[in-house]
Amino acid sequence: KPSSNKVVVAVQHLSVQDEQGLNALVDVSFEIHAGEILGVAGVDGNGQRELADALTGLCRVHKGFVVLHGIDITNQSVRERYAQNVSYIPQDRQTTGLILGFSVEENLILNQAYLTEYSQYGVLDTTGIRSHARQLIEQFDIRAQNSGASVSTLSGGNQQKVVFARELARDPDFLVAFNPARGIDIQATNAIHRRLLERRKAGAGILLLSTELDEVLALSDRVAVMFNGRLVDIVPSGTSRQVIGKMMVG
C-alpha cells in the first residue's frame, strides 16, 4: 500500500504511435502515488517501451496527458522533466542509457553536466565530476579500473550499475525503471531492489517495467497488466501468477 494518497504522476488517456503511425499505446490511464511502486507486467513488446518513453519525454504523445505533481508535462522536453526530478533507467543501457565512448565519470553526469557543481561558464569542473564519480563508484559497487576508464571497458552488469547509480543518486521523486536488474548477478540484483524499495520508502513514485514477472511481483504494490498496447487491468500485488499470466496473453 502506498505511503500516502498524494498522486505523483497521473497518466490520462495516453496514446502513442510508432514510426509507422500505428498505435503502440492506446488510451492508457493510471495514477502512481508517493511511496508506491506500480509494476507493469506484459510480454515484451506490448507497449511498455512506448509508455516509458512517453513518460520521460523521449517520444511524442499522440493523445492524452502526463501530469506530474499536478503540472501537465505532456509536451515537456527530457531536460525539463529532469529539472522536475524525473529519472529513467532505460531498457537498453548501451543505446539509451550510456555513451560508450565516454568515461565512467562522464556517464555519471550525462544528464546534469550543465549544473553548477559540474561546470562553470560552460567549462567542465573535472575535480567536482571526479569526486562525484568516486562517491558513486563506492556507493553502488561499480567495478571499474578507475573513474576515467571508458564505460565500454566495463562488464554489462557494471554498465547497468552506472546507469542505475546516475539515476538514483539524484533522489528522484518519480522514477521509471525498465528492467533495472537486467544482466546482473543475484547479489547486485538484490542491492538494486533494496535501493528501489528505499526510494519508495522515501516517498518516490516508481513505475517498474520488467519482462521478469518475478521482479514485478516481488517489488510492486500494484500490478498493471499490458497487452497489445492497452492496459488490461490493475490488480493488487498478491494476485496469483496464473491470473496475471492469463491477462498478459489477452
Side-chain angles (χ1 to χ4, degrees), residues 42-70:
V43 178
D44 204 14
N46 275 273
Q48 297 98 314
R49 186 178 60 79
E50 289 80 6
L51 175 60
D53 286 355
L55 293 181
T56 52
L58 287 172
C59 75
R60 219 170 61 82
V61 168
H62 179 58
K63 280 184 190 151
F65 301 95
V66 180
V67 179
L68 178 72
H69 297 309

Side-chain angles (χ1 to χ4, degrees), residues 97-112 118 126 128-155 157-167:
L98 300 165
I99 296 178
L100 293 176
F102 280 22
S103 66
V104 172
E105 59 195 36
E106 287 167 332
N107 272 284
L108 284 168
I109 58 147
L110 268 191
N111 43 29
Q112 34 207 329
Y118 308 124
T126 46
I129 292 169
R130 189 148 297 160
S131 89
H132 170 73
R134 286 184 179 151
Q135 224 176 322
L136 295 190
I137 284 169
E138 191 181 340
Q139 220 181 324
F140 288 84
D141 190 32
I142 298 165
R143 310 287 168 91
Q145 234 172 340
N146 55 59
S147 65
S150 167
V151 82
S152 62
T153 63
L154 272 56
S155 69
N158 282 296
Q159 289 179 354
Q160 186 71 8
K161 287 186 199 172
V162 170
V163 177
F164 191 81
R166 179 185 68 220
E167 300 303 318

Side-chain angles (χ1 to χ4, degrees), residues 17-24:
Q17 295 184 330
D18 64 15
E19 289 84 3
Q20 284 79 43
L22 302 170
N23 287 333

Side-chain angles (χ1 to χ4, degrees), residues 83-103:
Q84 295 182 71
N85 229 4
V86 175
S87 276
Y88 185 22
I89 298 159
Q91 182 180 23
D92 190 329
R93 55 179 166 257
Q94 295 202 335
T95 56
T96 324
L98 300 165
I99 296 178
L100 293 176
F102 280 22
S103 66

